[in-house]
Amino acid sequence: MDALRAALDRIGFASAEHMTWKDYEKIMRSIEPLIGGGHTLRRFDYTHTAALQPGTVERLRNDYTIPLAYTEWGSPLQPTLICLGGIANSARRFDYLARALSRRYHVLCMDWAGRGRSGWLAEQSDYSFEANVAQVLALIRHKRLERVTLLGSSLGGSVAMRVAAEAPALVDRLILNDIGPFIPTERRRRRAESVARHYVFRHPAQLFHRTGAAQKNDGPVDDTVLLHNSFHQTRWCGENCGRVYRHDIRALQCYRDGAAQDHEQWDDWHRIGCQILLVHGMMSDALLDSTIDRMMGKPRVSVLHVPDVGHTPTLSDPLHIDMLDRWLDAPQAFPAQSTVGWSGAADRILFR
């Protein structure tokens, strides 16, 4: 936060309403090396098979290849942790966590197809849950990994459960960030209505307002975290004379089309045999208390409760990262249930 204050002082900051995109870029150049420095952006060719193209007429179904992007942190000689984001997240959302854990782990954070810096799929219906599972398995094959720990936020956690259920030999441990085998329809529909739209931010203040409203339940995270996440989740679009979200809107519209019913994965859940850490945002409307109770009937499951936050804690707070590090070091010694607070109160200047 000190770096952000210094950057705001240098541009003579008066209010968010008077900030220009030029000012915004100056600020990001100041604070980004302090957060994202140390990673390498990589890509590999992912083949989207004809079997994963149900919405395409049969005569047009063919295997095709797109680049999938991921960030790499730490040494490949260390145990591998793969981080998988939510439906509209970019890989860079995990920078705080990845940077801290890269001292002891080889951390890979993937951009789903149609998000972040990955390529786009040919048809809206290609953005299926099964396609996401295939992308994770493709990354594991590409890196020639034998066993990994999967950390998944929201959609990423749902996909991680499916991978752990179908390929148990590949998954050593599982961290689920505020997601379980059941998500109620009302929550899915509300989220879909919010994200499946084309937003154009023609002034920084519009981006701050939208991000602040969307992340109102993110807990006491400060402006630096929100700036970092919103910067990597958007890009400049000359045609629209503003910043737009860095994703293919069809991917979000495909999610909306499937959000008319509950999401259930209890069959997957019962097949998972590895150690599991469940991170619970205590204000979450996606991970219900009844779901947690049912999940805890399974052995080798620990729950970490995080107060004052809703769905998917940002995992940027040092206390939260330390708890994940402790679990990774000795999951069998971790308590069945524990609660962790926050390092301090949120300091908000821009995102009010």
Side-chain angles (χ1 to χ4, degrees):
M1 192 66 191
D2 290 342
L4 174 58
R5 288 185 182 278
L8 291 173
D9 288 343
R10 282 194 294 272
I11 66 170
F13 174 78
S15 71
E17 286 70 24
H18 295 100
M19 185 183 291
T20 67
W21 287 122
K22 186 176 181 180
D23 295 332
Y24 178 83
E25 292 288 341
K26 287 180 180 178
I27 292 169
M28 299 313 300
R29 284 197 296 271
S30 296
I31 68 174
E32 274 305 289
L34 305 177
I35 303 169
H39 79 277
T40 302
L41 175 64
R42 302 192 188 280
R43 291 180 174 85
F44 72 100
D45 287 339
Y46 159 71
T47 299
H48 194 68
T49 64
L52 293 172
Q53 302 170 38
T56 302
V57 295
E58 189 170 354
R59 64 184 176 82
L60 295 178
R61 291 182 196 171
N62 290 292
D63 294 358
Y64 64 90
T65 300
I66 66 165
L68 287 186
Y70 62 97
T71 58
E72 184 167 24
W73 302 75
S75 168
L77 300 178
Q78 301 285 2
T80 299
L81 169 69
I82 298 179
C83 298
L84 307 170
I87 186 69
N89 294 162
S90 79
R92 299 297 303 276
R93 185 178 175 89
F94 292 107
D95 278 6
Y96 283 88
L97 178 72
R99 181 171 182 152
L101 295 183
S102 64
R103 294 187 294 270
R104 297 200 299 129
Y105 296 93
H106 176 221
V107 187
L108 307 175
C109 309
M110 190 174 74
D111 276 328
W112 299 117
R115 272 75 112 202
R117 289 163 176 80
S118 287
W120 293 8
L121 297 176
E123 292 283 346
Q124 179 171 310
S125 57
D126 286 3
Y127 289 106
S128 65
F129 185 81
E130 291 74 19
N132 292 326
V133 173
Q135 290 162 44
V136 176
L137 293 172
L139 175 61
I140 292 173
R141 288 194 301 270
H142 168 70
K143 300 298 287 186
R144 299 180 181 178
L145 302 171
E146 295 182 358
R147 286 183 70 77
V148 303
T149 296
L150 294 179
L151 184 158
S153 293
S154 197
L155 169 69
S158 298
V159 173
M161 282 188 279
R162 175 62 57 83
V163 174
E166 294 193 343
L170 294 177
V171 181
D172 186 40
R173 290 168 297 187
L174 198 57
I175 301 175
L176 302 175
N177 187 18
D178 202 67
I179 197 70
F182 174 79
I183 311 171
T185 301
E186 182 55 36
R187 201 282 163 191
R188 300 185 74 213
R189 184 183 296 117
R190 209 165 43 244
R191 175 65 171 156
E193 289 170 352
S194 173
V195 299
R197 300 182 60 195
H198 177 59
Y199 293 91
V200 179
F201 307 108
R202 294 194 169 87
H203 302 285
Q206 293 177 333
L207 176 61
F208 301 150
H209 177 74
R210 164 65 187 164
T211 302
Q215 311 303 326
K216 62 182 181 296
N217 290 328
D218 264 6
V221 297
D222 65 32
D223 273 357
T224 306
V225 176
L226 297 179
L227 260 177
H228 171 80
N229 290 347
S230 61
F231 176 73
H232 290 291
Q233 211 157 316
T234 60
R235 62 177 177 83
W236 178 258
C237 178
E239 295 84 354
N240 286 291
C241 298
R243 291 186 75 86
V244 299
Y245 281 115
R246 193 184 285 273
H247 56 231
D248 181 353
I249 191 62
R250 297 174 304 156
L252 286 303
Q253 290 169 342
C254 184
Y255 171 77
R256 181 188 60 194
D257 292 346
Q261 57 189 9
D262 296 339
H263 178 80
E264 292 204 31
Q265 283 185 261
W266 290 112
D267 287 345
D268 288 339
W269 178 252
H270 294 310
R271 288 190 290 161
I272 299 171
C274 63
Q275 293 274 2
I276 301 168
L277 175 64
L278 176 62
V279 180
H280 171 220
M282 294 177 69
M283 295 169 59
S284 176
D285 59 354
L287 181 60
L288 307 180
D289 289 343
S290 57
T291 303
I292 296 174
D293 291 342
R294 186 171 172 184
M295 293 173 76
M296 291 198 68
K298 186 184 188 68
R300 308 179 80 191
V301 176
S302 294
V303 182
L304 178 63
H305 300 284
V306 186
D308 304 319
V309 65
H311 185 46
T312 60
T314 59
L315 305 182
S316 56
D317 189 285
L319 291 179
H320 304 170
I321 294 171
D322 180 66
M323 291 295 278
L324 265 61
D325 196 13
R326 286 172 51 193
W327 181 85
L328 286 166
D329 189 50
Q332 68 283 352
F334 209 78
Q337 293 197 65
S338 55
T339 302
V340 60
W342 295 81
S343 296
D347 196 355
R348 300 278 178 89
I349 302 171
L350 304 173
F351 297 89
R352 296 175 181 245

